[in-house]
Amino acid sequence: MSQSALASHHADPLNPPHGRVLRELYLPAAEAFALKQRSASLPGWDLDARQLCDLELLLNGAFSPLDGFMTRRDYTRVLDDMRLADGTLWPIPIVLDVDDAFAASISVGDEVALRDREGVPLAVLTVEDIYFVDPLQEAHQVYGTTDRLHPGVLELLERRRRVHLGGRVRGIQAPQHHDFMALRDSPRSLRERLGALGWQRVVAFQTRNPMHRAHRELTVRAAEQANANVLIQPVVGLTKPGDVDHYTRVRCYQALLSHYPANSAQLSLLPLAMRMAGPREALWHAIIRKNYGATHFIIGRDHAGPGKDARGIPFYEPFAAQELVASHQQELGIEVVPFPAMVYVANRDVYLPSNEVQAGDEVRDISGTELRRRLADGEEIPAWFTYPEVVEILRERYPAKAPKGFALFFTGLSGSGKSTIAQAVIARLLERSARPITLLDGDEVRKHLSKGLGFSREDRAANVTRIGYVASEVVRHGGIAICAPIAPYRDSRAQVRRLVEAHGAFIEIHVDTALEACEARDRKGLYAQARAGKIARFTGISDPYEAPENPELHLDGAAADPATLAGRIIALLRNRGLIGDTSRGLR
């Protein structure tokens, strides 16, 4: 533990950290430099986006009292009881998952350099435990569901690796950020900033969406109720796929600040990787905000809920998060400020909590979906809903009538007809539109982008991920990416979906042509060679194909001609609003 982690907090006027000690894990400068030099000779693990967020909040103390990634004892008790092995309240597993090959190369007692995506060493983990987990069990206990429509469950079941390394970490340097530097506080620096303002009672507000007038009214009322100041602390790490990018959101928050009473609100950014775990996540958020000094925490309806399950039912009860956190608030030492939705009452020209609306009141609201539609169509956004400065920022980011980027991702056996159907779709699109279209065909990608890769599971996953990265860049710039690899593994397809959905729509199309039909139309004779043992690891013969479980579209490549099947895809795109009516031309 660092010297700073042991420092007394008696002079800090704000709420003491969880466990009463702020666990900052960075080494003193000289020790950090020496460890950085030595880390070059250690086995290294490149952190993914979630792990990078988790490490940053471990190192700066936001995850106090944790001093590293969880061992099996902590992990198991968190799942079972929402507590660490020593009994401390903690609801969400913080784990370092690695692949089997890396785990097999190290032993308990070894040191592992934890690096960012550029290979920069950020910390060193001393391995105390190497253990396997059951992701289905974790899904049941943490999320309460195994439905892959839940983004946290999808991440857990299709991307998270099953072997974990547990142990203490020692920090070398902080992950580097280049945006909004003045707003990226550690718990200690935020405590110092708020302390300098004379704040002692702080009500924290969690958000992953742009804020509008209703949010301003809610936070002002919550502050008045708690006799506190407002800390707006939005998540700028990983949120729900499809959320507004954090650059745009932060600009909106900055514009909103001027509409608060003078010296009553502060903005600070939280690089958290959300799990969208509903009640458990709300409790986790409260712990984190306590570590940043908050005395109160606003919890609204369906806090950190991801929406509805496969049956159309919300994953979590609307007030379950409020109830769970309230049941632990005395132990935790942070007060819950529960709030219903704020709605605009037009006949009184005022925002009110929904439970204060009277019979005969004219209630108006604009949902997130409706807001996006108005932005896309250039329709008026009323002044009662949000502020002109916020509208201007959103219109700049989402200009009216701008075409939305999207990716069509065809997957299926070799010879299923993916490429032919893809070409037919491209022809239909280009008949009536000049929109840029990029085809990422499996064979062409392997010839150029993935030259040198073999056909092991790892190399196939790398090939598909490269396709996904290129597709996400095409989509980010408003283009259309059409991908047609075999992509036999669910986890690599899920990775592509995440990459693309960060910028636009992802449409997975399973071309489910029977193996016999694929072999019958095999012009290159690949199936015959595979059955003769001349081609190893051939999908469908000597290597598995993991069929999609919930594709946006399911086609049989032998059931109709490519033009007919392409027509079904065009109809889907039109129904999703991704293209215009083909009788009037494509947007």
Side-chain angles (χ1 to χ4, degrees), residues 227-468:
N227 189 27
N229 297 100
V230 177
L231 171 63
I232 301 169
Q233 196 176 42
V235 171
V236 295
L238 296 179
T239 61
K240 185 180 177 181
D243 282 350
V244 176
D245 65 274
H246 81 267
Y247 300 100
T248 302
R249 289 191 287 114
V250 173
R251 292 173 61 206
C252 290
Y253 306 139
Q254 289 174 318
L256 192 74
L257 277 181
S258 64
H259 295 279
Y260 280 85
N263 305 316
S264 69
Q266 290 286 313
L267 173 64
S268 183
L269 309 184
L270 182 67
L272 179 73
M274 291 186 67
R275 273 64 165 179
M276 305 302 297
R280 277 192 181 229
E281 178 126 356
L283 183 58
W284 187 42
H285 289 174
I287 291 172
I288 293 167
R289 271 35 183 245
K290 185 188 180 191
N291 286 330
Y292 277 92
T295 54
H296 298 72
F297 185 50
I298 298 171
I299 300 181
R301 181 186 177 93
D302 196 26
H303 184 106
K308 297 180 180 179
D309 63 19
R311 302 165 296 168
I313 300 172
F315 281 103
Y316 306 112
E317 292 296 324
F319 301 109
Q322 293 181 0
E323 293 166 1
L324 178 65
V325 182
S327 70
H328 291 284
Q329 67 179 356
Q330 185 172 0
E331 175 185 5
L332 181 56
I334 187 170
E335 292 186 37
V336 174
V337 184
F339 253 91
M342 298 292 292
V343 296
Y344 179 67
V345 181
N347 54 294
R348 292 195 257 172
D349 189 26
V350 68
Y351 271 93
L352 292 175
S354 57
N355 58 4
E356 295 183 16
V357 174
Q358 300 176 4
D361 278 339
E362 182 186 348
V363 174
R364 295 180 185 174
D365 190 21
I366 293 180
S367 67
T369 300
E370 173 66 8
L371 174 61
R372 288 189 292 273
R373 187 195 67 76
R374 289 182 181 230
L375 289 169
D377 294 343
E379 289 187 17
E380 178 191 4
I381 298 172
W384 60 259
F385 175 74
T386 195
Y387 297 98
E389 309 97 297
V390 174
V391 173
E392 182 179 353
I393 292 167
L394 292 174
R395 288 204 186 281
E396 181 183 5
R397 177 62 180 85
Y398 301 102
K401 309 299 182 181
K404 300 176 182 178
F406 64 87
L408 299 180
F409 191 90
F410 293 84
T411 175
L413 296 174
S414 176
S416 61
K418 302 182 300 299
S419 296
T420 305
I421 299 169
Q423 292 285 359
V425 170
I426 291 172
R428 289 287 299 275
L429 293 173
L430 291 179
E431 281 178 349
R432 295 179 176 269
S433 171
R435 287 188 63 180
I437 300 174
T438 300
L439 174 63
L440 297 167
D441 183 74
D443 289 342
E444 289 299 309
V445 168
R446 277 201 169 268
K447 184 184 299 182
H448 302 290
L449 186 63
S450 294
K451 185 176 182 179
L453 290 181
F455 291 89
S456 66
R457 186 181 183 103
E458 293 75 19
D459 281 0
R460 290 185 183 204
N463 177 56
V464 173
T465 300
R466 291 178 187 182
I467 291 172

Side-chain angles (χ1 to χ4, degrees), residues 439-511:
L439 174 63
L440 297 167
D441 183 74
D443 289 342
E444 289 299 309
V445 168
R446 277 201 169 268
K447 184 184 299 182
H448 302 290
L449 186 63
S450 294
K451 185 176 182 179
L453 290 181
F455 291 89
S456 66
R457 186 181 183 103
E458 293 75 19
D459 281 0
R460 290 185 183 204
N463 177 56
V464 173
T465 300
R466 291 178 187 182
I467 291 172
Y469 173 74
V470 175
S472 72
E473 288 297 295
V474 171
V475 171
R476 183 164 71 93
H477 294 286
I480 300 171
I482 297 184
C483 316
I486 293 173
Y489 307 126
R490 292 194 189 101
D491 55 357
S492 56
R493 295 195 301 264
Q495 169 70 351
V496 174
R497 180 182 291 274
R498 280 188 294 274
L499 289 169
V500 171
E501 286 185 339
H503 306 293
F506 179 86
I507 306 294
E508 185 177 43
I509 302 167
H510 182 201
V511 185

Side-chain angles (χ1 to χ4, degrees), residues 79-140:
L79 262 59
D80 293 342
D81 304 321
M82 296 196 303
R83 295 186 181 274
L84 303 176
D86 67 4
T88 303
L89 188 66
W90 191 274
I92 297 292
I94 305 299
V95 297
L96 182 68
D97 55 304
V98 300
D99 59 45
D100 293 357
F102 186 78
S105 70
I106 59 173
S107 304
V108 170
D110 286 352
E111 294 179 316
V112 174
L114 304 179
R115 306 178 301 212
D116 67 13
R117 282 168 284 191
E118 283 73 47
V120 176
L122 303 176
V124 168
L125 166 75
T126 300
V127 180
E128 299 173 21
D129 201 0
I130 304 172
Y131 60 103
F132 287 86
V133 301
D134 180 354
L136 283 173
Q137 179 187 12
E138 183 175 333
H140 273 297

Side-chain angles (χ1 to χ4, degrees), residues 26-94:
Y26 290 107
L27 293 173
E31 294 179 36
F33 179 78
L35 186 59
K36 181 178 181 179
Q37 297 297 105
R38 192 162 63 82
S39 71
S41 63
L42 299 176
W45 179 256
D46 292 345
L47 302 165
D48 62 29
R50 173 184 53 81
Q51 294 169 342
L52 192 61
C53 288
D54 286 352
L55 179 66
E56 181 169 2
L57 296 183
L58 280 169
L59 294 177
N60 71 15
F63 282 174
S64 294
L66 302 187
D67 61 4
F69 290 100
M70 290 180 178
T71 62
R72 183 196 303 270
R73 289 180 67 242
D74 283 325
Y75 170 83
T76 300
R77 188 148 188 214
V78 166
L79 262 59
D80 293 342
D81 304 321
M82 296 196 303
R83 295 186 181 274
L84 303 176
D86 67 4
T88 303
L89 188 66
W90 191 274
I92 297 292
I94 305 299

